[in-house]
PDB file of all heavy atoms in Angstrom:
ATOM      1  N   ASN A 168       6.596   1.224  27.629  1.00  0.00           N
ATOM      2  CA  ASN A 168       8.000   1.393  27.269  1.00  0.00           C
ATOM      3  C   ASN A 168       8.819   0.257  27.888  1.00  0.00           C
ATOM      4  O   ASN A 168       9.615   0.451  28.808  1.00  0.00           O
ATOM      5  CB  ASN A 168       8.504   2.752  27.762  1.00  0.00           C
ATOM      6  CG  ASN A 168       9.924   3.046  27.306  1.00  0.00           C
ATOM      7  OD1 ASN A 168      10.322   2.667  26.207  1.00  0.00           O
ATOM      8  ND2 ASN A 168      10.689   3.712  28.159  1.00  0.00           N
ATOM      9  N   LEU A 169       8.590  -0.941  27.354  1.00  0.00           N
ATOM     10  CA  LEU A 169       9.215  -2.148  27.869  1.00  0.00           C
ATOM     11  C   LEU A 169       9.644  -3.044  26.710  1.00  0.00           C
ATOM     12  O   LEU A 169       9.078  -2.959  25.610  1.00  0.00           O
ATOM     13  CB  LEU A 169       8.220  -2.934  28.733  1.00  0.00           C
ATOM     14  CG  LEU A 169       7.728  -2.288  30.031  1.00  0.00           C
ATOM     15  CD1 LEU A 169       6.565  -3.098  30.600  1.00  0.00           C
ATOM     16  CD2 LEU A 169       8.864  -2.178  31.040  1.00  0.00           C
ATOM     17  N   PRO A 170      10.624  -3.911  26.939  1.00  0.00           N
ATOM     18  CA  PRO A 170      10.904  -4.932  25.929  1.00  0.00           C
ATOM     19  C   PRO A 170       9.645  -5.769  25.704  1.00  0.00           C
ATOM     20  O   PRO A 170       8.866  -5.996  26.638  1.00  0.00           O
ATOM     21  CB  PRO A 170      12.017  -5.771  26.577  1.00  0.00           C
ATOM     22  CG  PRO A 170      12.625  -4.890  27.618  1.00  0.00           C
ATOM     23  CD  PRO A 170      11.512  -4.020  28.114  1.00  0.00           C
ATOM     24  N   PRO A 171       9.401  -6.237  24.491  1.00  0.00           N
ATOM     25  CA  PRO A 171       8.166  -6.973  24.202  1.00  0.00           C
ATOM     26  C   PRO A 171       7.893  -8.128  25.146  1.00  0.00           C
ATOM     27  O   PRO A 171       6.739  -8.385  25.504  1.00  0.00           O
ATOM     28  CB  PRO A 171       8.378  -7.467  22.763  1.00  0.00           C
ATOM     29  CG  PRO A 171       9.309  -6.469  22.170  1.00  0.00           C
ATOM     30  CD  PRO A 171      10.224  -6.040  23.278  1.00  0.00           C
ATOM     31  N   GLU A 172       8.943  -8.828  25.568  1.00  0.00           N
ATOM     32  CA  GLU A 172       8.737  -9.988  26.437  1.00  0.00           C
ATOM     33  C   GLU A 172       8.268  -9.595  27.839  1.00  0.00           C
ATOM     34  O   GLU A 172       7.779 -10.453  28.596  1.00  0.00           O
ATOM     35  CB  GLU A 172      10.019 -10.817  26.532  1.00  0.00           C
ATOM     36  CG  GLU A 172      11.205 -10.122  27.172  1.00  0.00           C
ATOM     37  CD  GLU A 172      12.047  -9.326  26.175  1.00  0.00           C
ATOM     38  OE1 GLU A 172      11.564  -9.080  25.047  1.00  0.00           O
ATOM     39  OE2 GLU A 172      13.182  -8.973  26.523  1.00  0.00           O
ATOM     40  N   GLU A 173       8.395  -8.326  28.200  1.00  0.00           N
ATOM     41  CA  GLU A 173       7.947  -7.872  29.512  1.00  0.00           C
ATOM     42  C   GLU A 173       6.537  -7.267  29.488  1.00  0.00           C
ATOM     43  O   GLU A 173       5.975  -6.963  30.540  1.00  0.00           O
ATOM     44  CB  GLU A 173       8.939  -6.857  30.085  1.00  0.00           C
ATOM     45  CG  GLU A 173      10.308  -7.444  30.376  1.00  0.00           C
ATOM     46  CD  GLU A 173      11.256  -6.431  30.993  1.00  0.00           C
ATOM     47  OE1 GLU A 173      10.765  -5.432  31.584  1.00  0.00           O
ATOM     48  OE2 GLU A 173      12.486  -6.630  30.876  1.00  0.00           O
ATOM     49  N   VAL A 174       5.976  -7.088  28.306  1.00  0.00           N
ATOM     50  CA  VAL A 174       4.604  -6.588  28.182  1.00  0.00           C
ATOM     51  C   VAL A 174       3.654  -7.755  28.413  1.00  0.00           C
ATOM     52  O   VAL A 174       3.828  -8.843  27.844  1.00  0.00           O
ATOM     53  CB  VAL A 174       4.367  -5.958  26.801  1.00  0.00           C
ATOM     54  CG1 VAL A 174       2.922  -5.478  26.667  1.00  0.00           C
ATOM     55  CG2 VAL A 174       5.327  -4.792  26.573  1.00  0.00           C
ATOM     56  N   LYS A 175       2.639  -7.563  29.250  1.00  0.00           N
ATOM     57  CA  LYS A 175       1.764  -8.666  29.649  1.00  0.00           C
ATOM     58  C   LYS A 175       0.901  -9.191  28.518  1.00  0.00           C
ATOM     59  O   LYS A 175       0.433 -10.329  28.544  1.00  0.00           O
ATOM     60  CB  LYS A 175       0.877  -8.234  30.819  1.00  0.00           C
ATOM     61  CG  LYS A 175       1.641  -8.064  32.120  1.00  0.00           C
ATOM     62  CD  LYS A 175       0.685  -7.782  33.269  1.00  0.00           C
ATOM     63  CE  LYS A 175       1.422  -7.684  34.588  1.00  0.00           C
ATOM     64  NZ  LYS A 175       0.496  -7.403  35.720  1.00  0.00           N
ATOM     65  N   GLY A 176       0.657  -8.365  27.516  1.00  0.00           N
ATOM     66  CA  GLY A 176      -0.192  -8.772  26.412  1.00  0.00           C
ATOM     67  C   GLY A 176      -0.786  -7.551  25.750  1.00  0.00           C
ATOM     68  O   GLY A 176      -0.406  -6.411  26.045  1.00  0.00           O
ATOM     69  N   VAL A 177      -1.723  -7.776  24.856  1.00  0.00           N
ATOM     70  CA  VAL A 177      -2.401  -6.689  24.135  1.00  0.00           C
ATOM     71  C   VAL A 177      -3.902  -6.836  24.368  1.00  0.00           C
ATOM     72  O   VAL A 177      -4.464  -7.920  24.183  1.00  0.00           O
ATOM     73  CB  VAL A 177      -2.107  -6.749  22.623  1.00  0.00           C
ATOM     74  CG1 VAL A 177      -2.792  -5.584  21.909  1.00  0.00           C
ATOM     75  CG2 VAL A 177      -0.604  -6.731  22.360  1.00  0.00           C
ATOM     76  N   LYS A 178      -4.550  -5.758  24.792  1.00  0.00           N
ATOM     77  CA  LYS A 178      -5.991  -5.768  25.034  1.00  0.00           C
ATOM     78  C   LYS A 178      -6.682  -4.765  24.107  1.00  0.00           C
ATOM     79  O   LYS A 178      -6.200  -3.645  23.922  1.00  0.00           O
ATOM     80  CB  LYS A 178      -6.300  -5.407  26.493  1.00  0.00           C
ATOM     81  CG  LYS A 178      -5.963  -6.510  27.493  1.00  0.00           C
ATOM     82  CD  LYS A 178      -6.388  -6.102  28.893  1.00  0.00           C
ATOM     83  CE  LYS A 178      -6.099  -7.214  29.900  1.00  0.00           C
ATOM     84  NZ  LYS A 178      -7.048  -8.337  29.785  1.00  0.00           N
ATOM     85  N   VAL A 179      -7.808  -5.175  23.537  1.00  0.00           N
ATOM     86  CA  VAL A 179      -8.688  -4.262  22.806  1.00  0.00           C
ATOM     87  C   VAL A 179      -9.662  -3.688  23.826  1.00  0.00           C
ATOM     88  O   VAL A 179     -10.408  -4.439  24.476  1.00  0.00           O
ATOM     89  CB  VAL A 179      -9.426  -4.986  21.676  1.00  0.00           C
ATOM     90  CG1 VAL A 179     -10.381  -4.021  20.969  1.00  0.00           C
ATOM     91  CG2 VAL A 179      -8.432  -5.582  20.681  1.00  0.00           C
ATOM     92  N   THR A 180      -9.652  -2.377  23.992  1.00  0.00           N
ATOM     93  CA  THR A 180     -10.384  -1.728  25.082  1.00  0.00           C
ATOM     94  C   THR A 180     -11.079  -0.461  24.610  1.00  0.00           C
ATOM     95  O   THR A 180     -10.831   0.031  23.512  1.00  0.00           O
ATOM     96  CB  THR A 180      -9.423  -1.329  26.224  1.00  0.00           C
ATOM     97  OG1 THR A 180      -8.574  -0.262  25.752  1.00  0.00           O
ATOM     98  CG2 THR A 180      -8.562  -2.477  26.677  1.00  0.00           C
ATOM     99  N   GLY A 181     -11.914   0.073  25.498  1.00  0.00           N
ATOM    100  CA  GLY A 181     -12.468   1.403  25.296  1.00  0.00           C
ATOM    101  C   GLY A 181     -11.580   2.452  25.946  1.00  0.00           C
ATOM    102  O   GLY A 181     -10.570   2.134  26.587  1.00  0.00           O
ATOM    103  N   LEU A 182     -11.967   3.705  25.775  1.00  0.00           N
ATOM    104  CA  LEU A 182     -11.222   4.811  26.383  1.00  0.00           C
ATOM    105  C   LEU A 182     -11.635   4.989  27.837  1.00  0.00           C
ATOM    106  O   LEU A 182     -12.803   4.836  28.187  1.00  0.00           O
ATOM    107  CB  LEU A 182     -11.492   6.120  25.637  1.00  0.00           C
ATOM    108  CG  LEU A 182     -11.041   6.208  24.186  1.00  0.00           C
ATOM    109  CD1 LEU A 182     -11.471   7.552  23.595  1.00  0.00           C
ATOM    110  CD2 LEU A 182      -9.536   6.029  24.054  1.00  0.00           C
ATOM    111  N   GLY A 183     -10.687   5.339  28.675  1.00  0.00           N
ATOM    112  CA  GLY A 183     -10.956   5.622  30.075  1.00  0.00           C
ATOM    113  C   GLY A 183     -10.814   7.096  30.384  1.00  0.00           C
ATOM    114  O   GLY A 183     -10.788   7.940  29.495  1.00  0.00           O
ATOM    115  N   MET A 184     -10.707   7.403  31.662  1.00  0.00           N
ATOM    116  CA  MET A 184     -10.496   8.774  32.123  1.00  0.00           C
ATOM    117  C   MET A 184      -9.020   8.964  32.418  1.00  0.00           C
ATOM    118  O   MET A 184      -8.411   8.149  33.117  1.00  0.00           O
ATOM    119  CB  MET A 184     -11.326   9.035  33.382  1.00  0.00           C
ATOM    120  CG  MET A 184     -11.398  10.494  33.778  1.00  0.00           C
ATOM    121  SD  MET A 184     -12.419  11.411  32.609  1.00  0.00           S
ATOM    122  CE  MET A 184     -12.187  13.085  33.227  1.00  0.00           C
ATOM    123  N   ARG A 185      -8.443  10.015  31.891  1.00  0.00           N
ATOM    124  CA  ARG A 185      -7.029  10.305  32.116  1.00  0.00           C
ATOM    125  C   ARG A 185      -6.917  11.620  32.873  1.00  0.00           C
ATOM    126  O   ARG A 185      -7.266  12.684  32.361  1.00  0.00           O
ATOM    127  CB  ARG A 185      -6.299  10.405  30.786  1.00  0.00           C
ATOM    128  CG  ARG A 185      -4.784  10.435  30.888  1.00  0.00           C
ATOM    129  CD  ARG A 185      -4.214   9.123  31.342  1.00  0.00           C
ATOM    130  NE  ARG A 185      -2.830   8.973  30.911  1.00  0.00           N
ATOM    131  CZ  ARG A 185      -2.007   8.062  31.375  1.00  0.00           C
ATOM    132  NH1 ARG A 185      -2.425   7.211  32.294  1.00  0.00           N
ATOM    133  NH2 ARG A 185      -0.768   7.970  30.933  1.00  0.00           N
ATOM    134  N   GLU A 186      -6.446  11.537  34.118  1.00  0.00           N
ATOM    135  CA  GLU A 186      -6.294  12.718  34.958  1.00  0.00           C
ATOM    136  C   GLU A 186      -4.878  12.756  35.530  1.00  0.00           C
ATOM    137  O   GLU A 186      -4.168  11.760  35.496  1.00  0.00           O
ATOM    138  CB  GLU A 186      -7.316  12.690  36.098  1.00  0.00           C
ATOM    139  CG  GLU A 186      -8.760  12.688  35.631  1.00  0.00           C
ATOM    140  CD  GLU A 186      -9.721  12.443  36.768  1.00  0.00           C
ATOM    141  OE1 GLU A 186      -9.748  11.296  37.276  1.00  0.00           O
ATOM    142  OE2 GLU A 186     -10.444  13.381  37.153  1.00  0.00           O
ATOM    143  N   TYR A 187      -4.500  13.931  36.072  1.00  0.00           N
ATOM    144  CA  TYR A 187      -3.122  14.124  36.511  1.00  0.00           C
ATOM    145  C   TYR A 187      -3.059  14.723  37.910  1.00  0.00           C
ATOM    146  O   TYR A 187      -3.860  15.584  38.278  1.00  0.00           O
ATOM    147  CB  TYR A 187      -2.376  15.050  35.534  1.00  0.00           C
ATOM    148  CG  TYR A 187      -2.166  14.416  34.183  1.00  0.00           C
ATOM    149  CD1 TYR A 187      -3.188  14.386  33.237  1.00  0.00           C
ATOM    150  CD2 TYR A 187      -0.954  13.820  33.865  1.00  0.00           C
ATOM    151  CE1 TYR A 187      -3.001  13.782  32.005  1.00  0.00           C
ATOM    152  CE2 TYR A 187      -0.753  13.222  32.631  1.00  0.00           C
ATOM    153  CZ  TYR A 187      -1.773  13.200  31.711  1.00  0.00           C
ATOM    154  OH  TYR A 187      -1.592  12.595  30.501  1.00  0.00           O
ATOM    155  N   TYR A 188      -2.059  14.278  38.677  1.00  0.00           N
ATOM    156  CA  TYR A 188      -1.744  14.920  39.954  1.00  0.00           C
ATOM    157  C   TYR A 188      -1.064  16.261  39.679  1.00  0.00           C
ATOM    158  O   TYR A 188      -0.208  16.370  38.795  1.00  0.00           O
ATOM    159  CB  TYR A 188      -0.766  14.061  40.766  1.00  0.00           C
ATOM    160  CG  TYR A 188      -1.269  12.708  41.185  1.00  0.00           C
ATOM    161  CD1 TYR A 188      -0.801  11.553  40.561  1.00  0.00           C
ATOM    162  CD2 TYR A 188      -2.184  12.575  42.225  1.00  0.00           C
ATOM    163  CE1 TYR A 188      -1.244  10.299  40.960  1.00  0.00           C
ATOM    164  CE2 TYR A 188      -2.632  11.327  42.632  1.00  0.00           C
ATOM    165  CZ  TYR A 188      -2.161  10.195  42.001  1.00  0.00           C
ATOM    166  OH  TYR A 188      -2.595   8.966  42.386  1.00  0.00           O
ATOM    167  N   ASN A 189      -1.435  17.285  40.452  1.00  0.00           N
ATOM    168  CA  ASN A 189      -0.740  18.582  40.382  1.00  0.00           C
ATOM    169  C   ASN A 189      -0.550  19.045  38.939  1.00  0.00           C
ATOM    170  O   ASN A 189       0.556  19.398  38.519  1.00  0.00           O
ATOM    171  CB  ASN A 189       0.624  18.485  41.085  1.00  0.00           C
ATOM    172  CG  ASN A 189       0.504  18.023  42.520  1.00  0.00           C
ATOM    173  OD1 ASN A 189      -0.364  18.482  43.260  1.00  0.00           O
ATOM    174  ND2 ASN A 189       1.359  17.088  42.912  1.00  0.00           N
ATOM    175  N   TRP A 190      -1.659  19.046  38.196  1.00  0.00           N
ATOM    176  CA  TRP A 190      -1.556  19.281  36.756  1.00  0.00           C
ATOM    177  C   TRP A 190      -1.277  20.728  36.388  1.00  0.00           C
ATOM    178  O   TRP A 190      -0.877  21.014  35.259  1.00  0.00           O
ATOM    179  CB  TRP A 190      -2.831  18.805  36.061  1.00  0.00           C
ATOM    180  CG  TRP A 190      -4.080  19.566  36.445  1.00  0.00           C
ATOM    181  CD1 TRP A 190      -4.934  19.247  37.447  1.00  0.00           C
ATOM    182  CD2 TRP A 190      -4.588  20.760  35.844  1.00  0.00           C
ATOM    183  NE1 TRP A 190      -5.965  20.162  37.508  1.00  0.00           N
ATOM    184  CE2 TRP A 190      -5.770  21.111  36.531  1.00  0.00           C
ATOM    185  CE3 TRP A 190      -4.158  21.575  34.791  1.00  0.00           C
ATOM    186  CZ2 TRP A 190      -6.518  22.231  36.201  1.00  0.00           C
ATOM    187  CZ3 TRP A 190      -4.901  22.693  34.462  1.00  0.00           C
ATOM    188  CH2 TRP A 190      -6.071  23.012  35.162  1.00  0.00           C
ATOM    189  N   LYS A 191      -1.443  21.634  37.309  1.00  0.00           N
ATOM    190  CA  LYS A 191      -1.263  23.063  37.004  1.00  0.00           C
ATOM    191  C   LYS A 191      -0.153  23.655  37.870  1.00  0.00           C
ATOM    192  O   LYS A 191      -0.121  23.453  39.078  1.00  0.00           O
ATOM    193  CB  LYS A 191      -2.574  23.810  37.259  1.00  0.00           C
ATOM    194  CG  LYS A 191      -2.505  25.314  37.005  1.00  0.00           C
ATOM    195  CD  LYS A 191      -3.865  25.973  37.197  1.00  0.00           C
ATOM    196  CE  LYS A 191      -4.123  26.419  38.623  1.00  0.00           C
ATOM    197  NZ  LYS A 191      -4.536  25.397  39.552  1.00  0.00           N
TER     198      LYS A 191
END
Side-chain angles (χ1 to χ4, degrees):
N168 185 35
L169 295 169
E172 64 272 15
E173 295 182 22
V174 178
K175 289 186 177 180
V177 182
K178 287 184 178 286
V179 178
T180 69
L182 296 177
M184 192 71 185
R185 191 69 156 166
E186 299 171 290
Y187 292 80
Y188 297 106
N189 304 316
W190 64 269
K191 179 177 89 280

